[in-house]
Amino acid sequence: MHNQQDENQTHIEDEDSLTTRQGHPVTNNQNIRTVGNRGPATLENYDFIEKISHFDREKVPERIVHARGAGAHGYFETYGKVGEEPVSKYTRAKVFQEKGKQTPVFVRFSTVVHGNHSPETVRDPRGFAVKFYTEDGNWDLVGNNLKIFFIRDAMKFPDMIHAFRPDPVTNIQDSQRFFDFCANSPETFHMVTFVYSPWGIPANYRMMQGSGVNTYKWVNKEGKAVLVKYHWEPKQGIKNLTVEEASEIQATNFNHATQDLYDAIEQGDFPEWELFVQIMSDDEHPELDFDPLDDTKLWPEDQFPWLPVGKMVLNKNPENYFTEVEQAAFGTGVLVDGLDFSDDKMLQGRTFSYSDTQRYRVGANYLQVPINASKKRVATNQEGGQLRYQNDKAPGQNPHVNYEPSSLGGLKEAEQFGTEYRPMIKGNLVRESIDRQSNTKQAGETYRRFEDWEKDELLRNLIGDLSQCKQEIQDKMIKLAEEADEQYGRRLREGLAEATKDGTSKNPLGVKDAEKAPEQAIKKGHDAEPY
């Protein structure tokens, strides 16, 4: 017979149960709260906002992620078309109209997990962030070199980065921590397949692809929307490295990618990328075996072709690294008229997190820093904040009025001419994963597309790291590989069965025998007398 307290109990909390900083038990740490399981997200996601806003403030003063970076200035030139159709059919964004129009840009490339002076040869995704200084204000297209991501729900982002970063006790990256998270988050397997292949170590920044990763929307002048994905393709070609090749480069230069970008521009060999989009109607697409809002998935090119919309040229190096590259601040929420958000749950979480991080890192007035400032007029009623050095006031504005509405000469709302995009939202607020997860199918397709040497490198890297992990983690990763592709799973299973187990997982990802380095340093070191 349960007492009244038992009848009202909604959860069981033990000594090892996860809670928020408020002491609230966390019963779902996998999903933010959304309208239906496809979203959109809602602002009252308190435990998510507490979790992500603390994560944004974990380090001072460098970026929480993407700390190591290089950047350059250039321009984007639009074709005025999307494929063979007028671009205005799909979007009213001015940056894409009028063939030949050039828009200034600043681009920052980066590694993700490690710190500001980490080597540029690490096995890691690479950031690819573009700031367009458009006539309607800034647009930030914030993405990576790889076209998918590890997770599909922003709730899991701090946990993912914690698992991939160095151990909080040893301060050494540990592949067992990496695989512990990935083995228990099956949606990561497609990204693991890419990252552990040569695609996990791009040769440099100029010779890598870029992607918006998340699903966005384009809106036309009638207020009608389509789903869209962005892809940057390098005119220089694509080059990736094996572990041995990366180690040789790192032994002589851990800044090689920054130097390559800087030298190429100084020598007039300006790198170029062509921008392509994939377009899909704005609905759930039940005919697909995945959800188009799932950022762990690729959209099949044969069904949703890549359509060229413009090109980008980088032709000017920064004059000062700190003021331009280090203080450059990007956010997925920085969109202009004609561009919009989808209900992609990672995108919705990033849209809060990225700009929140910049306010913490650079300061409340980070948008007054020249590299981040719009090149068009700015007029706001915002006041104060750290390092504010100018007023965002309009000519003739009454300086006594810093509010709206007002009849005393203050700022007023702009008049809306275009039809506002007004999507229909209906559903219960839930904490659920999307229905069509298909966690391993595309990983198998990606594996089969790899060349033989890429498959060999992928398996060698995976086996080297997984062989030092607990059997439970190995078994889960083998199962995912077997689901993805029979050969993939068999080679991983057989390789792990034959692998030696006398090493350690406390190594940079994919680097064999790194644990021997401390002993080698002692053996190879030369004795010296004190002075």
Side-chain angles (χ1 to χ4, degrees):
M1 208 41 203
H2 293 290
N3 60 31
Q4 188 63 33
Q5 184 178 359
D6 292 332
E7 291 174 357
N8 292 329
Q9 186 172 352
T10 61
H11 62 275
I12 298 174
E13 184 176 349
D14 297 316
E15 287 299 312
D16 62 352
S17 295
L18 189 64
T19 74
T20 69
R21 276 276 173 89
Q22 302 282 12
H24 304 158
V26 176
T27 57
N28 188 327
N29 194 44
Q30 312 304 312
N31 306 102
I32 59 175
R33 198 178 188 201
T34 54
V35 180
N37 61 29
R38 300 182 76 246
T42 53
L43 188 59
E44 94 295 339
N45 267 278
Y46 179 81
D47 50 352
F48 164 66
I49 289 176
E50 181 194 84
K51 179 180 181 180
I52 197 73
S53 58
H54 179 84
F55 173 75
D56 292 343
R57 291 160 173 79
E58 280 187 2
K59 286 191 175 182
V60 179
E62 70 181 31
R63 286 169 167 83
I64 301 300
V65 288
H66 297 274
R68 175 69 195 254
H73 299 267
Y75 64 88
F76 173 76
E77 182 176 312
T78 183
Y79 298 157
K81 297 193 298 184
V82 53
E84 297 302 319
E85 296 182 291
V87 74
S88 58
K89 176 179 176 181
Y90 297 103
T91 179
R92 63 195 189 211
K94 294 176 184 175
V95 66
F96 290 118
Q97 314 301 322
E98 303 167 27
K99 179 182 178 181
K101 181 167 68 175
Q102 294 185 355
T103 300
V105 299
F106 181 78
V107 179
R108 186 176 186 272
F109 305 105
S110 56
T111 56
V112 177
V113 171
H114 297 284
N116 195 22
H117 291 290
S118 54
E120 292 181 306
T121 49
V122 291
R123 182 170 302 283
D124 202 15
R126 301 302 193 267
F128 194 127
V130 184
K131 187 180 295 293
F132 298 77
Y133 301 96
T134 86
E135 60 197 283
D136 272 345
N138 291 352
W139 167 36
D140 291 351
L141 180 53
V142 192
N144 289 332
N145 65 315
L146 299 173
K147 300 177 185 302
I148 57 171
F149 200 55
F150 291 96
I151 53 176
R152 61 171 68 97
D153 196 295
M155 180 63 82
K156 301 181 73 167
F157 189 75
D159 298 292
M160 182 199 82
I161 295 297
H162 285 171
F164 296 179
R165 274 196 190 138
D167 184 304
V169 177
T170 65
N171 201 34
I172 299 170
Q173 191 176 31
D174 190 328
S175 57
Q176 179 160 262
R177 287 162 41 83
F178 175 92
F179 283 112
D180 185 32
F181 178 87
C182 292
N184 289 289
S185 303
E187 71 271 28
T188 63
F189 192 69
H190 195 187
M191 189 68 163
V192 169
T193 299
F194 269 114
V195 169
Y196 264 76
S197 79
W199 292 83
I201 313 178
N204 55 46
Y205 297 132
R206 291 184 304 117
M207 296 177 174
M208 70 181 193
Q209 296 169 298
S211 170
V213 179
N214 295 109
T215 301
Y216 289 86
K217 288 182 182 180
W218 273 4
V219 181
N220 66 15
K221 64 181 180 180
E222 286 83 31
K224 296 179 180 178
V226 291
L227 301 178
V228 65
K229 288 250 191 184
Y230 298 101
H231 304 281
W232 295 105
E233 285 296 300
K235 295 288 189 71
Q236 298 74 235
I238 303 170
K239 285 185 178 290
N240 300 314
L241 298 171
T242 65
V243 173
E244 289 79 7
E245 292 161 349
S247 297
E248 291 173 8
I249 293 166
Q250 183 178 319
T252 58
N253 189 341
F254 65 90
N255 308 292
H256 82 282
T258 294
Q259 182 178 338
D260 173 82
L261 178 66
Y262 185 90
D263 289 349
I265 294 174
E266 283 297 291
Q267 295 161 10
D269 183 15
F270 302 141
E272 297 186 21
W273 286 261
E274 192 163 27
L275 181 61
F276 294 83
V277 296
Q278 290 177 285
I279 293 175
M280 189 184 296
S281 60
D282 184 13
D283 55 74
E284 297 185 23
H285 288 272
E287 77 281 4
L288 299 175
D289 63 0
F290 65 93
D291 194 305
L293 303 184
D294 182 351
D295 67 353
T296 70
K297 302 295 187 292
L298 298 167
W299 290 3
E301 191 176 347
D302 58 345
Q303 294 175 259
F304 308 99
W306 288 25
L307 305 171
V309 294
K311 69 173 184 178
M312 179 173 68
V313 179
L314 300 183
N315 58 7
K316 182 179 181 297
N317 279 314
E319 295 179 7
N320 181 273
Y321 177 85
F322 181 82
T323 58
E324 296 166 70
V325 182
E326 184 62 20
Q327 292 197 125
F330 300 85
T332 56
V334 185
L335 304 178
V336 294
D337 185 49
L339 312 178
D340 216 314
F341 309 97
S342 77
D343 297 334
D344 179 335
K345 291 198 269 188
M346 269 302 297
L347 175 61
Q348 300 224 340
R350 290 175 75 202
T351 294
F352 169 80
S353 178
Y354 275 51
S355 294
D356 183 56
T357 299
Q358 306 304 347
R359 294 183 191 99
Y360 157 69
R361 187 179 70 89
V362 185
N365 291 300
Y366 76 96
L367 292 174
Q368 291 190 345
V369 177
I371 193 64
N372 300 319
S374 169
K375 295 187 183 298
K376 69 175 288 291
R377 61 176 291 278
V378 172
T380 79
N381 286 322
Q382 293 179 356
E383 294 287 355
Q386 185 182 27
L387 297 180
R388 182 182 181 90
Y389 68 92
Q390 68 184 30
N391 287 323
D392 298 338
K393 305 303 181 188
Q397 179 182 350
N398 183 344
H400 300 282
V401 180
N402 59 354
Y403 52 88
E404 191 282 328
S406 168
S407 302
L408 302 177
L411 298 173
K412 60 182 185 298
E413 295 174 328
E415 188 175 352
Q416 173 80 23
F417 286 109
T419 304
E420 186 179 5
Y421 172 55
R422 301 173 68 181
M424 176 64 182
I425 305 296
K426 183 180 180 181
N428 296 325
L429 284 176
V430 298
R431 288 182 178 275
E432 295 178 359
S433 297
I434 58 175
D435 294 326
R436 291 167 287 165
Q437 297 192 7
S438 188
N439 288 322
T440 57
K441 179 182 177 183
Q442 287 199 1
E445 294 168 350
T446 293
Y447 174 80
R448 290 188 288 274
R449 280 196 302 269
F450 281 164
E451 297 179 20
D452 287 344
W453 75 273
E454 291 176 311
K455 293 178 182 177
D456 294 343
E457 181 75 2
L458 165 66
L459 268 300
R460 182 172 59 166
N461 294 333
L462 281 175
I463 291 166
D465 278 1
L466 274 171
S467 63
Q468 309 307 319
C469 296
K470 290 184 176 180
Q471 189 64 47
E472 178 184 2
I473 295 173
Q474 292 184 25
D475 291 344
K476 288 182 177 181
M477 294 302 295
I478 291 170
K479 182 179 179 182
L480 292 173
E482 288 174 338
E483 289 178 8
D485 180 89
E486 185 278 330
Q487 183 193 81
Y488 191 176
R490 174 173 48 79
R491 291 184 64 181
L492 182 59
R493 184 177 65 254
E494 293 173 353
L496 286 172
E498 297 173 0
T500 57
K501 310 286 196 289
D502 57 353
T504 175
S505 63
K506 296 177 176 61
N507 289 322
L509 299 185
V511 180
K512 186 174 174 58
D513 296 331
E515 74 277 3
K516 298 177 182 178
E519 182 181 350
Q520 290 174 344
I522 295 172
K523 287 183 177 179
K524 294 182 178 182
H526 299 275
D527 292 334
E529 294 297 324
Y531 63 89

